mmCIF file of all heavy atoms in Angstrom:
data_model
loop_
_atom_site.group_PDB
_atom_site.id
_atom_site.type_symbol
_atom_site.label_atom_id
_atom_site.label_comp_id
_atom_site.label_asym_id
_atom_site.label_seq_id
_atom_site.Cartn_x
_atom_site.Cartn_y
_atom_site.Cartn_z
ATOM 1 N N LYS S 325 10.917 -112.534 23.795
ATOM 2 C CA LYS S 325 11.100 -112.897 22.385
ATOM 3 C C LYS S 325 11.754 -111.714 21.685
ATOM 4 O O LYS S 325 12.599 -111.967 20.843
ATOM 5 C CB LYS S 325 9.810 -113.339 21.748
ATOM 6 C CG LYS S 325 9.952 -113.912 20.377
ATOM 7 C CD LYS S 325 8.543 -114.349 19.846
ATOM 8 C CE LYS S 325 7.984 -115.502 20.614
ATOM 9 N NZ LYS S 325 6.759 -116.035 20.055
ATOM 10 N N SER S 326 11.341 -110.565 22.050
ATOM 11 C CA SER S 326 11.853 -109.264 21.389
ATOM 12 C C SER S 326 13.422 -109.244 21.730
ATOM 13 O O SER S 326 14.248 -108.814 20.896
ATOM 14 C CB SER S 326 11.109 -108.053 21.895
ATOM 15 O OG SER S 326 9.792 -108.003 21.637
ATOM 16 N N MET S 327 13.744 -109.489 23.011
ATOM 17 C CA MET S 327 15.146 -109.503 23.344
ATOM 18 C C MET S 327 15.888 -110.623 22.579
ATOM 19 O O MET S 327 17.102 -110.363 22.156
ATOM 20 C CB MET S 327 15.329 -109.816 24.816
ATOM 21 C CG MET S 327 14.809 -108.749 25.839
ATOM 22 S SD MET S 327 15.312 -109.245 27.559
ATOM 23 C CE MET S 327 13.849 -108.799 28.419
ATOM 24 N N ALA S 328 15.323 -111.783 22.388
ATOM 25 C CA ALA S 328 15.990 -112.739 21.600
ATOM 26 C C ALA S 328 16.240 -112.366 20.156
ATOM 27 O O ALA S 328 17.251 -112.684 19.578
ATOM 28 C CB ALA S 328 15.249 -114.034 21.679
ATOM 29 N N ILE S 329 15.281 -111.647 19.582
ATOM 30 C CA ILE S 329 15.418 -111.187 18.262
ATOM 31 C C ILE S 329 16.619 -110.195 18.170
ATOM 32 O O ILE S 329 17.459 -110.201 17.318
ATOM 33 C CB ILE S 329 14.171 -110.463 17.676
ATOM 34 C CG1 ILE S 329 12.985 -111.436 17.528
ATOM 35 C CG2 ILE S 329 14.349 -109.766 16.345
ATOM 36 C CD1 ILE S 329 11.682 -110.935 17.326
ATOM 37 N N MET S 330 16.660 -109.341 19.214
ATOM 38 C CA MET S 330 17.743 -108.280 19.236
ATOM 39 C C MET S 330 19.102 -109.082 19.390
ATOM 40 O O MET S 330 20.100 -108.652 18.775
ATOM 41 C CB MET S 330 17.511 -107.346 20.318
ATOM 42 C CG MET S 330 16.311 -106.484 20.212
ATOM 43 S SD MET S 330 16.591 -105.196 19.011
ATOM 44 C CE MET S 330 17.621 -103.993 19.889
ATOM 45 N N GLY S 331 19.057 -110.163 20.103
ATOM 46 C CA GLY S 331 20.299 -110.876 20.312
ATOM 47 C C GLY S 331 20.772 -111.536 19.059
ATOM 48 O O GLY S 331 22.031 -111.736 18.942
ATOM 49 N N GLU S 332 19.909 -111.876 18.075
ATOM 50 C CA GLU S 332 20.304 -112.419 16.849
ATOM 51 C C GLU S 332 21.309 -111.465 16.109
ATOM 52 O O GLU S 332 21.905 -111.830 15.086
ATOM 53 C CB GLU S 332 19.135 -112.757 16.051
ATOM 54 C CG GLU S 332 18.324 -113.980 16.527
ATOM 55 C CD GLU S 332 19.127 -115.304 16.556
ATOM 56 O OE1 GLU S 332 19.732 -115.601 15.514
ATOM 57 O OE2 GLU S 332 19.116 -115.984 17.575
ATOM 58 N N PHE S 333 21.147 -110.190 16.421
ATOM 59 C CA PHE S 333 21.869 -109.111 15.637
ATOM 60 C C PHE S 333 23.043 -108.510 16.441
ATOM 61 O O PHE S 333 23.436 -107.431 16.087
ATOM 62 C CB PHE S 333 20.923 -108.076 15.072
ATOM 63 C CG PHE S 333 19.900 -108.641 14.130
ATOM 64 C CD1 PHE S 333 18.625 -108.982 14.580
ATOM 65 C CD2 PHE S 333 20.241 -108.799 12.821
ATOM 66 C CE1 PHE S 333 17.704 -109.430 13.661
ATOM 67 C CE2 PHE S 333 19.330 -109.235 11.886
ATOM 68 C CZ PHE S 333 18.016 -109.661 12.371
ATOM 69 N N LYS S 334 23.415 -109.118 17.592
ATOM 70 C CA LYS S 334 24.445 -108.483 18.402
ATOM 71 C C LYS S 334 25.748 -108.255 17.735
ATOM 72 O O LYS S 334 26.433 -107.279 17.901
ATOM 73 C CB LYS S 334 24.623 -109.243 19.704
ATOM 74 C CG LYS S 334 25.275 -110.658 19.556
ATOM 75 C CD LYS S 334 25.481 -111.230 20.928
ATOM 76 C CE LYS S 334 26.101 -112.639 20.760
ATOM 77 N NZ LYS S 334 25.183 -113.616 20.255
ATOM 78 N N ASP S 335 26.043 -109.149 16.831
ATOM 79 C CA ASP S 335 27.312 -109.068 16.035
ATOM 80 C C ASP S 335 27.216 -107.975 14.952
ATOM 81 O O ASP S 335 28.278 -107.549 14.385
ATOM 82 C CB ASP S 335 27.734 -110.310 15.347
ATOM 83 C CG ASP S 335 28.051 -111.406 16.444
ATOM 84 O OD1 ASP S 335 28.388 -111.086 17.498
ATOM 85 O OD2 ASP S 335 27.914 -112.634 16.123
ATOM 86 N N ASP S 336 26.061 -107.523 14.664
ATOM 87 C CA ASP S 336 25.818 -106.343 13.795
ATOM 88 C C ASP S 336 25.767 -105.032 14.523
ATOM 89 O O ASP S 336 25.366 -103.945 13.899
ATOM 90 C CB ASP S 336 24.516 -106.515 12.941
ATOM 91 C CG ASP S 336 24.551 -107.774 12.145
ATOM 92 O OD1 ASP S 336 25.522 -107.903 11.291
ATOM 93 O OD2 ASP S 336 23.714 -108.637 12.325
ATOM 94 N N GLY S 337 26.111 -105.006 15.815
ATOM 95 C CA GLY S 337 26.050 -103.752 16.567
ATOM 96 C C GLY S 337 24.712 -103.403 17.067
ATOM 97 O O GLY S 337 24.590 -102.218 17.612
ATOM 98 N N VAL S 338 23.785 -104.235 17.093
ATOM 99 C CA VAL S 338 22.466 -103.927 17.647
ATOM 100 C C VAL S 338 22.474 -104.026 19.130
ATOM 101 O O VAL S 338 23.021 -105.037 19.655
ATOM 102 C CB VAL S 338 21.420 -104.841 17.064
ATOM 103 C CG1 VAL S 338 20.106 -104.789 17.718
ATOM 104 C CG2 VAL S 338 21.211 -104.584 15.527
ATOM 105 N N CYS S 339 21.896 -103.048 19.804
ATOM 106 C CA CYS S 339 21.836 -103.187 21.309
ATOM 107 C C CYS S 339 20.501 -102.833 21.799
ATOM 108 O O CYS S 339 19.808 -102.022 21.287
ATOM 109 C CB CYS S 339 22.851 -102.360 21.970
ATOM 110 S SG CYS S 339 22.720 -100.598 21.836
ATOM 111 N N MET S 340 20.047 -103.489 22.957
ATOM 112 C CA MET S 340 18.916 -103.125 23.626
ATOM 113 C C MET S 340 19.148 -101.921 24.537
ATOM 114 O O MET S 340 20.273 -101.715 24.985
ATOM 115 C CB MET S 340 18.324 -104.256 24.439
ATOM 116 C CG MET S 340 17.845 -105.447 23.659
ATOM 117 S SD MET S 340 17.497 -106.960 24.706
ATOM 118 C CE MET S 340 19.019 -107.886 24.452
ATOM 119 N N HIS S 341 18.140 -101.103 24.732
ATOM 120 C CA HIS S 341 18.259 -99.888 25.564
ATOM 121 C C HIS S 341 17.363 -99.984 26.867
ATOM 122 O O HIS S 341 16.238 -100.571 26.694
ATOM 123 C CB HIS S 341 17.818 -98.722 24.728
ATOM 124 C CG HIS S 341 17.474 -97.428 25.442
ATOM 125 N ND1 HIS S 341 18.409 -96.574 26.042
ATOM 126 C CD2 HIS S 341 16.215 -97.054 25.853
ATOM 127 C CE1 HIS S 341 17.631 -95.617 26.616
ATOM 128 N NE2 HIS S 341 16.425 -95.822 26.558
ATOM 129 N N CYS S 342 17.812 -99.552 27.940
ATOM 130 C CA CYS S 342 17.034 -99.472 29.133
ATOM 131 C C CYS S 342 17.295 -98.268 29.914
ATOM 132 O O CYS S 342 18.424 -97.983 30.294
ATOM 133 C CB CYS S 342 17.239 -100.700 29.994
ATOM 134 S SG CYS S 342 16.505 -100.678 31.551
ATOM 135 N N ASN S 343 16.263 -97.369 30.061
ATOM 136 C CA ASN S 343 16.425 -96.211 30.893
ATOM 137 C C ASN S 343 16.057 -96.661 32.338
ATOM 138 O O ASN S 343 14.899 -96.828 32.584
ATOM 139 C CB ASN S 343 15.437 -95.113 30.359
ATOM 140 C CG ASN S 343 15.695 -93.858 31.186
ATOM 141 O OD1 ASN S 343 16.313 -93.832 32.267
ATOM 142 N ND2 ASN S 343 15.076 -92.669 30.717
ATOM 143 N N LEU S 344 17.022 -96.742 33.079
ATOM 144 C CA LEU S 344 16.720 -97.189 34.494
ATOM 145 C C LEU S 344 15.769 -96.331 35.209
ATOM 146 O O LEU S 344 14.990 -96.727 36.200
ATOM 147 C CB LEU S 344 18.104 -97.166 35.355
ATOM 148 C CG LEU S 344 19.086 -98.336 34.970
ATOM 149 C CD1 LEU S 344 20.471 -98.057 35.403
ATOM 150 C CD2 LEU S 344 18.597 -99.674 35.385
#
Side-chain angles (χ1 to χ4, degrees):
K325 191 178 292 182
S326 300
M327 290 191 223
I329 294 169
M330 294 289 283
E332 290 294 315
F333 297 97
K334 67 176 180 294
D335 294 335
D336 298 301
V338 167
C339 70
M340 291 173 263
H341 159 82
C342 175
N343 184 351
L344 289 163

